[in-house]
Amino acid sequence: MTFEDQQIFGRTKIMEKIQSLTFQKIVHSITAIDTQPMLDGGILICVLGQLKTDDDHPHTFHQIFVLKSLGDSFYVEHDIFRLSLHHIG
């Protein structure tokens, strides 16, 4: 998983990262979802939306990931998440 330029590998490390986030509540608002089938049967998914955590104002985000088939279910093979923050100096 890539989270704000940080590369995180493996189920345990990904769960540690998620559990280390400090907000208490989160609201997702999805603007658009684009999907593309892959030659190997996977599905490339791009999500555009907004996140609102605790009392902060909403932030736009982009998330791109690949779903892969595993029998009768799916798992996330790759995941890139980015808040759309613009730092003007």
Side-chain angles (χ1 to χ4, degrees), residues 26-38:
I26 187 168
V27 176
H28 294 83
S29 175
I30 305 300
T31 303
I33 299 174
D34 297 305
T35 61
Q36 187 73 43
M38 298 173 61

Side-chain angles (χ1 to χ4, degrees), residues 37-89:
M38 298 173 61
L39 293 176
D40 64 359
I43 304 168
L44 177 65
I45 301 172
C46 179
V47 180
L48 171 64
Q50 288 188 323
L51 291 178
K52 183 174 178 354
T53 57
D54 296 332
D55 295 323
D56 292 341
H57 63 280
H59 294 287
T60 299
F61 76 91
H62 297 85
Q63 185 172 16
I64 300 170
F65 57 97
V66 174
L67 287 181
K68 290 290 191 132
S69 177
L70 183 63
D72 61 350
S73 63
F74 287 87
Y75 68 96
V76 176
E77 185 175 73
H78 302 283
D79 189 357
I80 300 172
F81 176 88
R82 169 73 67 176
L83 288 174
S84 298
L85 303 175
H86 300 278
H87 303 285
I88 300 173

